[in-house]
């Protein structure tokens, strides 16, 4: 027998893991600096670690109260109804929930190129097809309503990423409103704010007050430092929020993840410190890196370095793991995650050494 036709499906290529690279190079993982996956430079909130330790004793139970508690906490934070909070196994899991709730077989979605690889994957898992809108490098990857609407042709879901991965560019609230207004009534605009905490701009959540065709995506993987436990959510309009109960997998958010997220939400200091250090690191990279960069609102900076594969390989040999953006269709760019001050300095020094040799 065979699985269904998966020929249009692609494989997600994650940034390389620290253990994987350490083993390959035969060095201690502690000697490596990993700035490849936009993870939190300070790790998780210590409060989240404590919460996981103390909830470990209860892991034989299905997560019911913890799911309800977390949803209530998030609804309170965003001033919305609890039904509007769709928890998922990471932001990716919440994207799956949206695709499952929206897509009939064969319906098309519109995704950014370059852009986050999981949007088209999720749509295809749910029997959708994929079209792209282009963000142009010549235009510094500007995210405007026109860029999206130019390529829009009645798709069921339009994915916007703000701040965008890997460019760091943002949409204005007006641009998102314009896109929602100028697309079909039955088109959902998903605003992925996975990096929202790092931006100075307000969330697009305010648009849900008078629209039923916008959903916001958030995750605990980035600013909250919980990528390993897999927890994220969508905020959806009240009018169709009850669809979640019909499409959610039972217990999709784990007990440990919900408890960790609850604790992390109460640790403002950890988020504040992470956001502040990311802002410092962005400026440091713009100023000190011997390569062109794009202004970013996330915890990463895209830089033009020439042959990205060769540069990331060379950096890795010196213990610095960066993201080669070839898989994003940007073979001359690397994405550098904002690290601690020490790690960011080391990454920039290493890159500068490599870029200067390559260019000499
Ligand atoms: C990291 C990321 C997500 C969500 O990741 P999860 O770990 O699944 O929460 C969503 N969108 C973008 C653009 C991201 O970079």
């Amino acid at each position: 027998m065979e699985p269904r036709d998966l020929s249009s499906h692609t494989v997600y290529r994650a940034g390389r893991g620290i253990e994987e690279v350490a083993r390959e190079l035969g060095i201690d993982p502690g000697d490596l600096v990993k700035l490849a996956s936009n993870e939190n430079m300070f790790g998780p909130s210590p409060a989240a670690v404590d919460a996981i330790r103390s909830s470990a004793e209860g892991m034989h139970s299905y997560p019911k109260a913890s799911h309800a508690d977390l949803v209530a906490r998030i609804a309170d934070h965003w001033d919305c109804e609890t039904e509007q909070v769709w928890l998922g196994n990471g932001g990716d899991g919440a994207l799956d929930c949206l695709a499952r709730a929206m897509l009939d077989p064969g319906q098309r979605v519109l995704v950014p190129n370059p852009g986050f690889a999981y949007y088209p994957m999720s749509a295809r898992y749910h029997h959708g097809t994929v079209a792209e809108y282009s963000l142009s490098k010549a235009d510094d990857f500007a995210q405007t309503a026109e860029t999206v609407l130019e390529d829009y042709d009645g798709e069921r879901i339009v994915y916007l990423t703000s701040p965008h991965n890997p460019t760091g560019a943002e949409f204005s609230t007006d641009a998102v409103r314009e896109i929602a207004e100028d697309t079909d009534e039955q088109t959902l605009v998903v605003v992925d704010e996975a990096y929202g905490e790092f931006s100075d701009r307000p969330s697009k959540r305010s648009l849900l007050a008078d629209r039923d065709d916008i959903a916001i995506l958030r995750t605990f993987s980035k600013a909250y430092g919980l990528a390993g436990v897999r927890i994220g959510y969508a905020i959806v309009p009240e009018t169709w929020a009850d669809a979640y109960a019909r499409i959610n997998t039972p217990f999709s958010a784990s007990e440990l993840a919900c408890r960790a997220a609850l604790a992390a939400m109460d640790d403002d200091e950890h988020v504040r410190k992470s956001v502040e250090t990311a802002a410092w690191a962005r400026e440091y990279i713009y100023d000190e890196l011997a390569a062109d960069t794009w202004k970013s609102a996330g915890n990463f900076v895209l830089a033009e370095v020439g042959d990205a594969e060769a540069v990331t390989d060379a950096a890795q040999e010196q213990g610095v793991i960066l993201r080669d953006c070839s898989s994003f269709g940007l073979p001359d760019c690397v994405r550098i995650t904002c690290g601690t001050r020490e790690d960011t300095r080391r990454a920039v020094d290493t890159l500068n050494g490599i870029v200067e040799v390559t260019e000499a």
Side-chain angles (χ1 to χ4, degrees):
M1 65 158 288
E2 284 174 24
R4 66 184 170 105
D5 179 10
L6 299 173
S7 54
S8 68
H9 290 229
T10 47
V11 178
Y12 184 79
R13 308 237 174 257
R16 309 202 52 208
I18 228 165
E19 279 82 15
E20 184 190 351
V21 175
R23 224 170 282 150
E24 196 179 294
L25 298 176
I27 61 173
D28 190 282
D31 294 336
L32 286 170
V33 169
K34 187 192 172 201
L35 298 176
S37 299
N38 299 343
E39 292 149 340
N40 191 297
M41 72 280 278
F42 297 117
S45 151
V49 176
D50 284 346
I52 288 196
R53 278 213 184 90
S54 51
S55 59
E57 303 278 345
M59 67 169 103
H60 59 294
S61 301
Y62 282 110
K64 268 203 90 175
S66 58
H67 185 122
D69 290 351
L70 178 57
V71 162
R73 180 74 179 76
I74 294 169
D76 184 54
H77 178 83
W78 290 105
D79 191 20
C80 65
E81 299 299 320
T82 51
E83 292 71 27
Q84 291 177 262
V85 179
W86 290 18
L87 287 189
N89 190 252
D92 296 347
L95 286 170
D96 282 343
C97 288
L98 293 171
R100 212 175 299 144
M102 286 297 143
L103 294 181
D104 277 323
Q107 281 188 318
R108 208 170 51 240
V109 306
L110 189 65
V111 307
N113 177 23
F116 187 53
Y118 197 65
Y119 308 141
M121 293 172 70
S122 175
R124 288 187 180 115
Y125 294 158
H126 296 91
H127 305 274
T129 61
V130 180
E132 294 178 339
Y133 62 92
S134 301
L135 301 169
S136 134
K137 191 171 163 206
D139 228 357
D140 286 334
F141 306 106
Q143 302 215 98
T144 63
E146 298 77 66
T147 1
V148 178
L149 293 170
E150 219 168 65
D151 290 319
Y152 170 77
D153 186 21
E155 282 79 9
R156 175 67 157 152
I157 306 178
V158 174
Y159 295 90
L160 311 178
T161 321
S162 188
H164 184 274
N165 175 12
T167 71
E170 295 182 275
F171 281 99
S172 68
T173 301
D174 284 343
V176 176
R177 187 187 294 109
E178 191 181 331
I179 292 165
E181 255 163 32
D182 290 1
T183 48
D184 192 88
E185 213 175 287
Q186 294 300 323
T187 292
L188 176 69
V189 176
V190 175
V191 188
D192 180 348
E193 297 183 340
Y195 301 97
E197 291 82 2
F198 296 104
S199 166
D200 293 332
R201 296 193 190 222
S203 166
K204 306 327 187 235
R205 180 259 174 271
S206 59
L207 295 172
L208 270 70
D210 48 29
R211 300 204 66 92
D212 69 355
D213 56 357
I214 295 179
I216 306 294
L217 189 82
R218 288 266 170 165
T219 178
F220 288 94
S221 293
K222 310 286 162 55
Y224 289 94
L226 299 181
V229 295
R230 314 302 303 133
I231 183 91
Y233 60 94
I235 311 170
V236 310
E238 211 178 336
T239 47
W240 48 268
D242 61 354
Y244 183 61
R246 297 176 189 273
I247 56 90
N248 185 30
T249 39
F251 312 110
S252 54
S254 83
E255 174 74 18
L256 303 187
C258 291
R259 290 293 165 210
L262 274 161
M265 279 188 89
D266 284 333
D267 190 351
D268 293 333
E269 179 53 22
H270 179 262
V271 176
R272 193 198 57 73
K273 196 172 74 172
S274 309
V275 169
E276 187 184 291
T277 307
W280 171 86
R282 289 189 307 241
E283 293 297 326
Y284 184 85
I285 296 169
Y286 306 148
D287 292 347
E288 303 297 329
L289 189 69
D292 285 339
T293 53
W294 283 268
K295 283 266 186 287
S296 168
N299 66 333
F300 52 87
V301 172
L302 186 71
E304 189 162 41
V305 294
D307 182 343
E309 192 184 344
V311 169
T312 44
D313 283 351
Q316 191 167 294
E317 266 162 40
Q318 298 175 48
V320 175
I321 314 172
L322 303 169
R323 182 67 187 253
D324 167 6
C325 289
S326 299
S327 68
F328 287 100
L330 301 170
D332 50 1
C333 294
V334 297
R335 191 191 63 197
I336 310 155
T337 299
C338 296
T340 58
R341 284 173 161 74
E342 185 189 349
D343 287 354
T344 304
R345 287 195 182 100
R346 179 167 156 202
V348 168
D349 280 353
T350 304
L351 259 180
N352 283 351
I354 295 163
V355 173
E356 275 154 25
V357 171
T358 327
E359 287 181 351

